[in-house]
Amino acid sequence: MARSLLPQHLEDRRKDLRVFESLPAKAHPGYSPRLGRRLRTVSDLYDRTTVLGHITISPDEAYAVTDKSAPHALYDMMIISAGPTARPGLHDHTVQFGKGFGVMAHSFATHCHASDLTPVISWSYDPHTLDRQTIQSEKRFHAHLVGRTPAERVTVTANAISARQLSTTKARQIVEEASVLGSLLSADCIDPEALRVLTPVPALSTPTATVTAQFLLPGGWQSLTAPGLHDDLSYIHRKLRRTYDEIIRTCTTGTTGLWERPLIRRQFTEDDISLPLRPETRATLTHYLRALRPEILAHHRGTHFYPLADLAYAVTIAEQDGQVYLHLRINLFSDLGGAGISILDGIIVTTKKGAGMLRTDEIAARNTFQSDYVTQIHRHPLATRVFFPRL
């Protein structure tokens, strides 16, 4: 029997988390999963999506608001980096891009509230995994803006179960062990004093802070327009990058390639990991790495068995108990990124895309919602950050 990847008390907390699997989402008529192709150029963006708005920041940077042929909800859309260069992370973009994105995200939340919807905003980072389905199948930075209906929230609350009621594979897909480890590592390595907007929630202090690095947005959705938010997210990424690289350097051997990943060293000393970790975190990291070796990857190349190729995480911004939080979920095996996950009232919710086709009246309601949102961006008090970001 394979050893648990986490100490038992943390494994119990992971399995106790409430989840809902999964909310159905209809696709546009004619959609087929086989038609999915990456948007390598701006021309691809126009050929394969419906572009609702396109704002150029510089010759090499822009963002577009688009519809999706396979939505994650009846009321949703996507903001995607639309410059000639495919930049995978929000931190790869300029501060001007980050400010404009923050205004558009805040405008979306305001629009949802006016429409009696609950906003959920999410994106993923996994630019290097190319040999399997990943949490960022489209490598350009793109954020999903989803409005959940009251009926969906009622369904989720009434039917949520604990993760321990799922199969081992499904539980790992939704709340994998690496996410618990990631919350502990983030708490130790991210300096709260270095953050200008976000306020860290102590690791393990809430169910969601057990499986995500959870941060409070003190000003609610308005915090998305704060000038320092892009700096905070870039700082957090740098800390995660440093943490991941140090663990790989100290504890693994080998390289990453096509269906090839580094192996855990048979002998490594946890004290050689040059990170400011509490003893409890260091012990948990050691337990995880030693339990990971050697048989778990020997004969599997499928989802949830074969690891992602490099640092990978998903971000979800959602409401909980009357406040707004940013959740960052570290991934190693799970291919569920930001788009595949909503957090509603503290419950982690997955989405089943392509569950039927949208009716004519649903398409009309969706089009009206999207059109009204684009109009609202023009009326936002900080609209100049979107349309004229370098002024």
Side-chain angles (χ1 to χ4, degrees), residues 302-320:
T303 297
H304 325 309
F305 290 101
Y306 212 79
L308 299 166
D310 195 62
L311 174 65
Y313 57 84
V315 174
T316 303
I317 304 175
E319 300 170 1
Q320 190 172 331

Side-chain angles (χ1 to χ4, degrees), residues 319-336:
E319 300 170 1
Q320 190 172 331
D321 300 323
Q323 295 183 295
V324 180
Y325 294 94
L326 183 147
H327 303 267
L328 192 151
R329 194 174 78 257
I330 301 293
N331 287 285
L332 182 62
F333 293 102
S334 175
D335 67 350
L336 279 181

Side-chain angles (χ1 to χ4, degrees), residues 103 106-107 110 222 225 375-387:
V103 171
H106 174 248
S107 185
T110 302
Q222 186 73 43
T225 66
T375 299
Q376 181 164 309
I377 293 175
H378 288 79
R379 298 173 178 170
H380 194 283
L382 296 175
T384 53
R385 288 189 178 177
V386 177
F387 296 105

Side-chain angles (χ1 to χ4, degrees), residues 251-263:
C251 305
T252 71
T253 183
T255 60
T256 296
L258 186 64
W259 294 111
E260 177 187 17
R261 300 293 187 270
L263 300 175

Side-chain angles (χ1 to χ4, degrees), residues 53-86:
H54 188 164
I55 304 98
T56 298
I57 298 175
S58 72
D60 193 45
E61 197 171 35
Y63 31 63
V65 182
T66 72
D67 193 5
K68 285 176 59 63
S69 58
H72 291 84
L74 175 59
Y75 301 105
D76 82 344
M77 63 199 76
M78 184 170 72
I79 295 176
I80 185 167
S81 174
T85 302

